[in-house]
Amino acid sequence: MVYTKKSPALLIIGFLLLVWGWLNANGSLDNLQSSLQKSAYSDYVKVNEKYQAELRVATEQAQSDGKPAPTMKKPHSKFDQEKEFQTQFCYIFGGAFTILGLVVLASKPKSGNVDYYLSTVPGMAFILLIACVVRWVLDPMFTNWGKAVQDAGTLSWDFAKIFNLNYVVMGILAGIVIVNVFKIPEWAANGVRTARLFLKTGVILLGALYSAAELAQLGALSVIMIGFFVLGSVWLVLIMGRRMKSPNSMTGVLSAGLGVCGVSATVAASPVVQAKSGEIAYTIGTILLWGVGCMFLFPTVGHILHMGPVQFGAWAGTGILNSAQVAGAALAFDPHGIDTLKVAEIFNITRVLFLPIIVLWLAAWFVKHEEGAKKVNLKQVVIAKFPLFVLGFIAMFALSSTGVFAPPGHYQGKYFSGAEVKEDKLLKPKEVRALEAELPKMRNAEETKALQDLVANRKLTSREQDNTLKAVAKIEGLDGVAAGAIANASKAAWHDSKIIKAFRDWLAWLFAFGLIGLGMQITAASIKQAGGKPLIIGSVVGTLKAVGSLIVVLMFVREFV
């Protein structure tokens, strides 16, 4: 059988990418890019103004000394980096697609492996083109729109952030619209089926973002609470699903989404339980719908019950299903501070760290139930049927814990190192003087010594000092310049692991690609076939989780946190 369809589509997609790269390279898209990448462009303007001022001073000095004009290397801003990335990305993939597009048109396909793999390229190029539009145009456009509406006072919150109008959600929606309204082109059908492979690869890399050291830093209470409610939610969904005779694949993927961290857990667990596209869609829809409701309901209940930042943060981080809505609820509860958000994210991250355990559990559960009532040897099952991508996730998690990708003790790829603080990041004389003036306000010897060391070194030298001075920065009446100096010193002492940063970049593209392709496999008919059982199960388990975690928080969190 011949799979490759003769079509100029691949050649056209390659040409479009090359044109975008070329226009970026020669600056023709600078006006458009500046309107889309507002934050990066603002940084570019500041960097350029500083460079021009320094060059002017250096040139004037050289002229007065009778020396030739100096040459200064122009700094590289985030705006420049984004333009260069888009240019290189388009040249590489656009060039490859153009060459393969010519091959498709010029050759006569013959049945075999070469024909099959070549037939997947047009569909992959189609998805990648959509991913570029979503990531480079729609995502920043909605981000800017949400902020503009909030800044104008039309809404008191950023609707684009709250409703997840980012490249992930818009990518899925784009795929769903294409398959249900325009249909998948015949030449792209084979490539669309590769979406799950990219999702699995993304899940493997996801393991590198966490380390065992993080778990030790998060606190015993968050581990106990999250462990109870995560495991309890998964167990309850599995029980209800069996009682309601829901398909094992539907029950399995729903348990992960409701129990762990929403969409990410749904994507991670779906290959393990062989979930269909419609089942994944129904799970994501149930979770997002529930999460949006909780995001508005939780803050109202929190204020009625006079909950503090710690209590509300613990409740939101435990009871809200989707990670994005956890942050939204925390900010809605306390829009002028970050204390609530910090606590909520501690609990949320602890929840995400349970993902490998849940995936292992679901893998064993699914295989056992697919084999019927017959007993199976779990050891043999794991060896024979355990998905390789899950082993890859666990391997990356283990490597991350040993410090292969970042120094041991890193926090999602960030690690503390005073020795790596660059000269231009040291505190300025004005900041040092402001800190010296605040020494009499210190409340104990530990705070005094921490501040004295910061003044002497002009940088932070240990995590303990960082933690102490974060408390100092909250002292009522502390000078604003001094508080800002402490924040700047802390920011300078924390560094991103270059490897994990690269993993994050690749993850974004892998998930964008995979989820767009997944959306293209979600038809209206498949969603209708899923039935209303997932929504019933989700509502029951979500309600029990929210109410149960609220009771635990009100009874115990005030005493132990």
Side-chain angles (χ1 to χ4, degrees), residues 123-124 126-132 134-135 167-176 191-203 263 267-268 270-271 277 280 284 506-522:
M124 293 166 65
F126 182 48
I127 294 175
L128 189 63
L129 179 65
I130 296 170
C132 289
V134 170
R135 287 212 67 196
Y167 71 90
V168 174
V169 173
M170 286 189 288
I172 296 174
L173 291 176
I176 293 173
V192 169
R193 297 188 186 100
T194 66
R196 289 179 181 273
L197 173 63
F198 288 89
L199 286 176
K200 291 176 183 178
T201 305
V203 172
V263 177
V267 171
S270 59
S277 299
I280 296 172
I284 292 175
W506 279 108
L507 273 173
W509 282 102
L510 288 169
F511 278 112
F513 185 100
L515 291 171
I516 290 171
L518 183 65
M520 291 182 181
Q521 299 173 45
I522 300 172

Side-chain angles (χ1 to χ4, degrees), residues 325-347:
Q325 270 84 30
V326 170
L331 290 171
F333 179 80
D334 183 13
H336 303 297
I338 62 170
D339 290 344
T340 306
L341 180 62
K342 285 171 64 178
V343 176
E345 286 305 313
I346 285 175
F347 279 75

Side-chain angles (χ1 to χ4, degrees), residues 82-273:
E82 179 61 25
K83 281 180 54 183
E84 286 184 7
F85 173 78
Q86 291 189 21
T87 300
Q88 293 172 2
F89 187 95
C90 288
Y91 280 168
I92 292 171
F93 287 98
F97 293 154
T98 300
I99 293 171
L100 290 174
L102 292 171
V103 171
V104 168
L105 291 175
S107 64
K108 184 176 181 180
K110 296 179 181 179
S111 179
N113 290 334
V114 174
D115 165 63
Y116 178 78
Y117 290 121
L118 186 61
S119 72
T120 65
V121 178
M124 293 166 65
F126 182 48
I127 294 175
L128 189 63
L129 179 65
I130 296 170
C132 289
V133 173
V134 170
R135 287 212 67 196
W136 293 342
V137 180
L138 294 181
D139 188 312
M141 186 174 72
F142 273 92
T143 298
N144 294 336
W145 187 16
K147 290 179 180 177
V149 170
Q150 184 181 23
D151 292 342
T154 307
L155 293 174
S156 60
W157 39 275
D158 186 336
F159 75 90
K161 185 175 182 180
I162 296 300
F163 291 112
N164 296 310
L165 296 179
N166 51 45
Y167 71 90
V168 174
V169 173
M170 286 189 288
I172 296 174
L173 291 176
I176 293 173
V177 170
I178 288 171
V179 72
N180 288 282
V181 178
F182 303 102
K183 306 301 179 186
I184 302 296
E186 190 179 2
W187 51 264
N190 253 13
V192 169
R193 297 188 186 100
T194 66
R196 289 179 181 273
L197 173 63
F198 288 89
L199 286 176
K200 291 176 183 178
T201 305
V203 172
I204 291 173
L205 290 183
L206 191 66
L209 301 187
Y210 306 106
S211 70
E214 287 182 73
L215 192 60
Q217 296 171 8
L218 295 177
L221 179 62
S222 64
V223 174
I224 293 171
M225 273 192 65
I226 294 297
F228 176 80
F229 283 102
V230 164
L231 299 176
S233 298
V234 172
W235 174 79
L236 188 56
V237 173
L238 295 180
I239 294 296
M240 288 187 66
R242 297 287 290 174
R243 295 260 183 182
M244 297 178 68
K245 297 182 179 180
S246 176
N248 288 332
S249 53
M250 179 76 256
T251 300
V253 76
L254 188 64
S255 69
L258 292 173
V260 189
C261 53
V263 177
S264 298
T266 300
V267 171
S270 59
V272 171
V273 296

Side-chain angles (χ1 to χ4, degrees), residues 317-364:
T318 304
I320 297 179
L321 305 179
N322 191 35
S323 297
Q325 270 84 30
V326 170
L331 290 171
F333 179 80
D334 183 13
H336 303 297
I338 62 170
D339 290 344
T340 306
L341 180 62
K342 285 171 64 178
V343 176
E345 286 305 313
I346 285 175
F347 279 75
N348 186 48
I349 290 172
T350 305
R351 186 169 62 180
V352 174
L353 289 172
F354 274 83
L355 184 56
I357 299 172
I358 300 306
V359 171
L360 280 168
W361 180 5
L362 291 177

Side-chain angles (χ1 to χ4, degrees), residues 38 165 179 367 393 418 446:
K38 286 190 174 181
L165 296 179
V179 72
V367 173
F393 178 94
E446 182 183 8

